[in-house]
Amino acid sequence: MDSILQTPFCNASLLAGLLFLFMGHMIRRFPPRSMKAWYGYRTFSSTINQDTWDEGNRYAAYISRWLGWILVPFGLLMGWIFSRQSDLLLYLTITPVIVGALLLTGITEWHLLQLFDEDGAPRKKNGGNEKPAV
């Protein structure tokens, strides 16, 4: 009898998807209070000030859960399609994980840039009589 580690259900998408779901849930449920916490979404943009830190972690937790809900079913599907572990299974399941990690960072950084300027101050909404920034 094969061990669970040798079955195609032990694949990168399924395991990383569960990790993304867990991280997203834990950061949402227990957000890191300060930038000195040992966990959290930590990039240059998110560590400018407390507001960027809080928003970066809130949004990264949301995206992480979203990606987890995509990776887990994909990993299960790959486990049902393949009868055994192979190089092709590895490549097909690790590629979405890498893309997902890049998306998590890219989308969260884009979100922070939409809300905050380079100094971490909130961006002003362009109201009716204000001139647009050049």
Side-chain angles (χ1 to χ4, degrees), residues 7-21:
T7 67
F9 286 99
C10 185
N11 64 59
S13 287
L14 183 58
L15 298 175
L18 291 171
L19 184 63
F20 274 106
L21 282 172

Side-chain angles (χ1 to χ4, degrees), residues 25-82:
H25 174 71
M26 293 305 290
I27 290 176
R28 179 177 178 227
R29 182 94 166 98
F30 306 104
R33 300 275 183 239
S34 77
M35 289 175 263
K36 294 182 181 183
W38 62 272
Y39 67 99
Y41 178 77
R42 185 173 281 111
T43 63
F44 178 76
S45 297
S46 68
T47 56
I48 294 173
N49 61 37
Q50 191 64 41
D51 291 336
T52 59
W53 174 256
D54 293 339
E55 182 60 24
N57 278 282
R58 184 197 66 77
Y59 200 74
Y62 169 75
I63 298 297
S64 179
R65 291 189 320 271
W66 184 79
L67 288 169
W69 285 115
I70 292 172
L71 288 172
V72 168
F74 182 77
L76 289 172
L77 178 66
M78 291 294 107
W80 282 315
I81 290 174
F82 285 84

